[in-house]
Amino acid sequence: MTCVVGLEVPGGVWIGADSFLGTDQIRYKYDRPKWFRKGPLVFAWAGDARGAQLVEHALTLPAERTRRRSSGDPVGYLVTVAGRIRQVFREAGANLRVPGSQDTTGTEFLVCYGGRLYLLQQDYSIIRGASGCAAIGAGEAFALAALRVAREHVPPRDAVARALKEAAELCPSVCEPFYVELFHQSQS
């Protein structure tokens, strides 16, 4: 339940998130953006807050030398990070959410690294779509369609905000306020 979108632009990634937390029966509004910085990464999340809290507070990132050893390949570094997330989740009894499924348990992640946007898949694989945009959460399909259209007509920040607004119009588990921020390549 929620909606988080990301859009790559030259030099960074725009991330937008709604504030919905809850179920079909109850709505809470989260009091901060659904993303956090951890070392050279930005994690944006949808689904269970527990998974996000584990990554933010229990995950130990690989040492800086591991990033250099991966020959500059960002996927190599992110695969190592994903393996560590898997270990933390296994120890805590948490799981990643299957995107697009009816199962509402688990957590989904978008990951910003080096000015690029990646999805952490349910099998802990790391993918980067050719379109430069991605979405997660219950409003994923609505937001992704709106984002792909809007990015051709309005500035990136406005495209991300419009995608969230459209998702909220069509999906009952997406709500304002919306948070939108640019993570520059050097920040992510």
Side-chain angles (χ1 to χ4, degrees):
M1 307 289 186
T2 197
C3 189
V4 178
V5 299
L7 176 62
E8 287 183 11
V9 295
V13 177
W14 283 96
I15 295 288
D18 80 327
S19 298
F20 183 92
L21 282 180
T23 67
D24 291 337
Q25 291 80 33
I26 191 163
R27 175 188 293 194
Y28 294 106
K29 289 188 179 184
Y30 199 54
D31 65 348
R32 70 187 120 243
K34 293 178 185 169
W35 60 70
F36 55 89
R37 288 184 178 94
K38 186 158 186 85
L41 306 171
V42 174
F43 289 91
W45 60 276
D48 294 345
R50 175 74 174 138
Q53 292 167 346
L54 288 169
V55 171
E56 185 173 13
H57 301 291
L59 176 68
T60 303
L61 292 176
E64 185 69 26
R65 67 181 181 278
T66 303
R67 284 191 350 193
R68 285 193 299 266
R69 210 174 34 234
S70 67
S71 304
D73 176 22
V75 174
Y77 178 67
L78 292 172
V79 166
T80 303
V81 171
R84 291 192 178 189
I85 292 170
R86 184 178 188 178
Q87 181 179 358
V88 167
F89 276 29
R90 185 178 295 142
E91 291 170 3
N95 63 325
L96 289 177
R97 185 175 172 276
V98 179
S101 77
Q102 297 302 313
D103 180 8
T104 58
T105 62
T107 310
E108 296 177 83
F109 290 99
L110 293 179
V111 183
C112 302
Y113 178 56
R116 296 289 180 248
L117 180 65
Y118 301 88
L119 283 162
L120 176 60
Q121 296 286 87
Q122 192 251 345
D123 65 354
Y124 296 91
S125 61
I126 298 291
I127 62 166
R128 179 171 171 258
S131 69
C133 59
I136 56 175
E140 170 185 350
F142 305 116
L144 193 55
L147 181 61
R148 291 188 68 155
V149 171
R151 71 181 179 174
E152 302 297 325
H153 305 288
V154 297
R157 183 187 197 296
D158 295 342
V160 169
R162 186 174 291 175
L164 291 169
K165 184 176 187 230
E166 292 300 323
E169 287 287 323
L170 298 166
C171 182
S173 55
V174 177
C175 71
E176 294 185 79
F178 303 132
Y179 299 94
V180 179
E181 187 171 334
L182 173 62
F183 294 94
H184 294 282
Q185 185 169 350
S186 60
Q187 291 177 307
S188 58

